[in-house]
Amino acid sequence: MKTTRVRAVLRKELREYRHNGNIIYAMAVVPLVFIVQPLVEIFTLKTSAALTLRHEDSLLYLLAIPALAPAMLASYGIVGERDQGTLEPLLATPIRSDELLAGKALAAFVPSLAIAYGIFGVFVAITELFARPAVAAALVRGPEVIAQVVFTPLLAGWSTWVGIAISARSKDVRVAAQLSALASLPLVAVTSLTAFGVIHATLRFAVICGVALLVLNRLALRVVASAFDRERLITGAK
Amino acid sequence: MQPALSVHALSKRFGDRVAFNDVSFEVGRGEVFGFLGPNGAGKTTTVRTLGTLIAPTSGSALVAGIPLIPENAVEIRRRISIMPESPGLYLRLSVIENLECFADLYEVPEPHKRIARALHAVKLDERARDLCGALSKGLRQRVALARALLNEPQVLFLDEPTSGLDPAATRDVHELITALSHSGVTIFLTTHRLEEAERLCDTVAILNTTLRMLGPPAQLRTQLFATTLAVRTRLPLPDPDRVFNGLPSVEAWRRDGMGSYSLTVSDPTIAAPAVTRALVAADADVLSIGESLHSLEDVYLELVDNDANPPLGRS
């Protein structure tokens, strides 16, 4: 794989985001809505609530953001090129399928990661600044912050690959976006169930999930590249 | 010298539908090869196949000297360029940003010099910073052409390169094609503009799923149409049979109108003087005698019409 060509695709995508900032704003809006209600609740919590909070993993709720955020960008990646008629000139260059897919994946992954970490940072900062100290201490704990830091790229990576795979097989931009959003729901469900205590977040559970996501992310490029059918994308046949 | 393109019995099917079938031709280096045919004839599919975008069903080809097999796809794409019918530009990016992206994809050395050269070739130096979305269709077409020049291809596939261009821009593109061919670039030109093909192409192929004709435009004309002399006299000849029959090289004649005759001849250089002498001897007032030239358009329409309405008795 030639990094020059991966970089070329990434740079092109980032330039498109820069020229059309609405893409990134739209990506950030949904996750921002995610944190409004929890923040409002946190501000109203009394110091006595800290004891209950200490036995929950509420902060993991924010892991839904990296699971959800890449869906839109990733799902647009390939079918969007096809839709605007730019896929054929792109595929007519020496770019290989894995290089194109890696560039597209990075272009969805990088802003998603920035948004997820950014919103997490904002959430933690507001909590530390404005919530009662006992509540903040109960909510923002070391293991959960580590989980957030470690799982954010893993979840965003997986969600990105699912979106790219859907994009490479879809014929319509809207269908691809809907399917990608739908496909990220299981991850959102797992993170939410963990945050609400339905699934117990033990170290063992975290390690298993982490390793599984790592393996899936490692395999994803190869699997998606092998399923990438240039001919079908160009001609719409098959 | 090895040809730039060598295609042998190439076919492409999509399920039961035949896109093109049993196509064979060769294109020499620096040659301008015109690829003509009606809509749906398989021209674009042929270009895509030779450009490694889709795989042939059967047959073989050498593209820029490399066998057309999946393992060679990247190397072939490195040596060729395809300018599709639709420019396919990133409309939110500027002209130069579009070209930078493709220069990186082709890994061209000194990309900024190459980009400047390509922009200069299509006379877009002044519009480099403009957003592609703000350009007219014709200017977008020129950006796409600049993009196709970035990797200095050995074989350049141009699919309707002058579609949407004004006459001045069309002339510029024609000049560019001629200059590229003189510098050794092989041009594979798909066009519906028959006068364009006639003017630019060394060889022309007419495709209608199968290759219907192949050769230099002049050769296609003589292959398809008998050479004729058009004769006009001030008054109709009283006995044309007596004048035209038996003249050397004149095979047949027919009346086209009042004082207008069309003579089928085997060699116009022999027939024309003999006809002139016969007309003078018959006391006819001759207005003109000249060889009727059929255009490439006549050739094309004859073939395509025959395909659409085959003559009776032909299967």
Side-chain angles (χ1 to χ4, degrees), chain A residues 160-234:
Chain A
T160 299
W161 282 121
V162 171
I164 295 279
I166 289 170
S167 185
R169 303 298 295 181
S170 294
K171 288 185 175 174
D172 186 274
V173 176
R174 287 159 299 184
V175 172
Q178 286 162 0
L179 286 177
S180 294
L182 207 63
S184 54
L185 287 183
L187 287 182
V188 175
V190 172
T191 53
S192 302
L193 290 173
T194 312
F196 296 129
V198 179
I199 298 173
H200 293 291
T202 60
L203 182 63
R204 190 163 168 261
F205 175 69
V207 170
I208 290 170
C209 287
V211 170
L213 282 168
L214 199 64
V215 171
L216 287 172
N217 278 314
R218 297 274 297 184
L219 288 176
L221 174 59
R222 223 173 295 167
V223 173
V224 180
S226 65
F228 186 80
D229 187 343
R230 286 171 177 252
E231 184 165 327
R232 193 189 59 81
L233 286 164
I234 293 287

Side-chain angles (χ1 to χ4, degrees), chain B residues 59-227:
Chain B
S60 61
L62 286 175
V63 181
I66 304 176
L68 181 68
I69 52 171
E71 295 75 36
N72 293 339
V74 170
E75 189 50 40
I76 289 174
R77 291 202 296 270
R78 211 188 296 276
R79 295 182 188 200
I80 65 167
S81 252
I82 300 178
M83 181 190 154
E85 190 176 351
S86 155
L89 302 171
Y90 297 107
L91 300 182
R92 289 198 188 96
L93 301 187
S94 68
V95 171
I96 199 147
E97 285 172 334
N98 266 276
L99 297 183
E100 278 171 355
C101 171
F102 280 80
D104 289 344
L105 291 171
Y106 281 109
E107 297 179 289
V108 300
E110 299 185 311
H112 290 289
K113 280 188 185 166
R114 285 276 184 103
I115 290 169
R117 247 193 336 255
L119 283 173
H120 185 69
V122 298
K123 299 185 177 169
L124 274 180
D125 319 61
E126 305 298 316
R127 310 298 294 266
R129 305 275 160 199
D130 289 10
L131 284 185
C132 285
L135 299 178
S136 67
K137 190 187 172 198
L139 291 180
R140 287 181 195 177
Q141 198 81 352
R142 281 153 73 175
V143 179
L145 192 52
R147 183 183 62 197
L149 299 176
L150 282 175
N151 63 327
E152 296 184 348
Q154 292 176 25
V155 183
L156 177 57
F157 292 90
L158 300 174
D159 200 351
E160 302 281 344
T162 53
S163 155
L165 298 189
D166 61 45
T170 300
R171 186 198 55 207
D172 291 343
V173 171
H174 288 173
E175 284 172 6
L176 181 62
I177 289 173
T178 307
L180 286 168
S181 104
H182 287 162
S183 68
V185 179
T186 304
I187 312 280
F188 191 100
L189 176 70
T190 301
T191 182
H192 279 121
R193 291 186 173 186
L194 299 168
E195 81 288 353
E196 181 173 85
E198 188 148 30
R199 187 199 300 184
L200 295 173
C201 299
D202 304 299
T203 308
V204 165
I206 298 178
L207 182 80
N208 202 359
T209 308
T210 56
L211 209 56
R212 302 287 286 109
M213 269 197 134
L214 174 71
Q219 189 186 313
L220 298 193
R221 281 193 291 265
T222 52
Q223 265 180 35
L224 205 66
F225 296 104
T227 310

Side-chain angles (χ1 to χ4, degrees), chain A residues 2 4-9 11-13 15-20 23 76 81 84-97 104 230-232 234-235 237-238, chain B residues 12-14 44 48 51-56 73-75 77-78 80-82 84 86-94 96-98 100-102 104-107 131 147:
Chain A
K2 285 266 191 178
T4 336
R5 290 197 281 263
V6 176
R7 250 199 335 263
V9 175
R11 186 158 80 135
K12 187 274 289 178
E13 295 286 327
R15 278 177 160 173
E16 285 206 299
Y17 300 158
R18 199 188 68 212
H19 284 290
N20 186 11
I23 298 174
Y76 188 78
E81 292 271 359
Q84 59 184 354
T86 49
L87 188 63
E88 187 170 350
L90 186 60
L91 293 180
T93 69
I95 197 164
R96 288 164 27 151
S97 302
K104 288 286 181 183
R230 286 171 177 252
E231 184 165 327
R232 193 189 59 81
I234 293 287
T235 63
K238 286 188 186 173
Chain B
K12 178 66 188 175
R13 288 165 190 273
F14 297 104
T44 300
R48 286 171 170 171
T52 77
L53 292 169
I54 57 180
V74 170
E75 189 50 40
R77 291 202 296 270
R78 211 188 296 276
I80 65 167
S81 252
I82 300 178
S86 155
L89 302 171
Y90 297 107
L91 300 182
R92 289 198 188 96
L93 301 187
S94 68
I96 199 147
E97 285 172 334
N98 266 276
E100 278 171 355
C101 171
F102 280 80
D104 289 344
L105 291 171
Y106 281 109
E107 297 179 289
L131 284 185
R147 183 183 62 197

